[in-house]
Amino acid sequence: MKDIADPKGLTRRELLSRTMAAGASFVVGGSFVAGADAAWAMETTALKPETMATLIQMARDIYPHDHVGDEYYAVAVKGYDTADAADGVEAGIAALNAVARGKGHADYLSIGWERDRVDILRAMEDSAFFQKVRGGLVTGLYNQKAVWPLFGYEGESYSQGGYIDRGFNDINWL
């Protein structure tokens, strides 16, 4: 059996079987993070894959949208995977995991209930790390054109004559 830490030795079949057996949200190995459904994956360069997986879960818990896939949250936090940001993010995730351990969990990512994870985030919401991630998600998540249709947003309207004649009164998601 091949070692999961060796990304070249992990076949797609092994990836899927380990994901289903573990019931995990993310599969972490080598230098990559993948969705549990194996429909998306991302390579990490400066951050540890476990840190990126925790950051994606944290993003989902800060701005929860059940109809938005994990891959969009991964794109939103990918900007933290740089050499300049890595030390601060690794330290922030370590602090998040320390709070989780203080509440009897192995780490933040292992907490199964969203409510328990949100309680941990509330304990950290005044920290500079939390505020940086939360603030970055506003643009990182909601400025993705691929996400706009999921919220019923058609994009800017100025170039098409404005909103008065183009959907001003047809809002149905509010």
Side-chain angles (χ1 to χ4, degrees):
M1 185 166 181
K2 296 175 181 104
D3 183 8
I4 193 163
D6 178 15
K8 293 180 177 90
L10 187 64
T11 66
R12 184 173 186 274
R13 183 177 304 265
E14 288 170 330
L15 174 71
L16 289 171
S17 67
R18 290 179 187 189
T19 303
M20 297 308 143
S25 298
F26 303 104
V27 176
V28 178
S31 63
F32 75 93
V33 177
D37 57 4
W40 67 271
M42 70 183 300
E43 189 172 1
T44 59
T45 55
L47 294 175
K48 293 184 236 171
E50 299 84 10
T51 301
M52 183 58 79
T54 304
L55 197 56
I56 295 167
Q57 184 62 60
M58 180 182 176
R60 177 169 277 294
D61 292 336
I62 292 172
Y63 291 109
H65 299 289
D66 292 338
H67 64 286
V68 176
D70 288 334
E71 63 267 24
Y72 299 110
Y73 289 95
V75 169
V77 298
K78 181 64 176 163
Y80 295 109
D81 189 25
T82 64
D84 293 339
D87 290 340
V89 173
E90 292 286 353
I93 295 297
L96 183 68
N97 286 333
V99 173
R101 281 191 294 279
K103 297 198 180 256
H105 303 284
D107 58 15
Y108 182 80
L109 200 55
S110 68
I111 301 171
W113 292 99
E114 179 181 4
R115 184 178 192 167
D116 294 339
R117 290 190 309 268
V118 170
D119 287 343
I120 290 169
L121 289 176
R122 286 201 176 133
M124 290 192 64
E125 69 185 340
D126 292 331
S127 72
F129 171 70
F130 177 89
Q131 291 301 322
K132 181 177 180 160
V133 172
R134 185 195 58 78
L137 283 171
V138 172
T139 54
L141 181 61
Y142 299 115
N143 277 2
Q144 294 180 52
K145 288 186 179 184
V147 173
W148 294 352
L150 300 175
F151 294 107
Y153 178 61
E154 299 171 359
E156 62 84 22
S157 189
Y158 177 77
S159 65
Q160 299 175 21
Y163 287 110
I164 295 296
D165 296 324
R166 196 176 154 263
F168 179 71
N169 288 327
D170 67 355
I171 192 167
N172 60 5
W173 57 270
L174 197 57

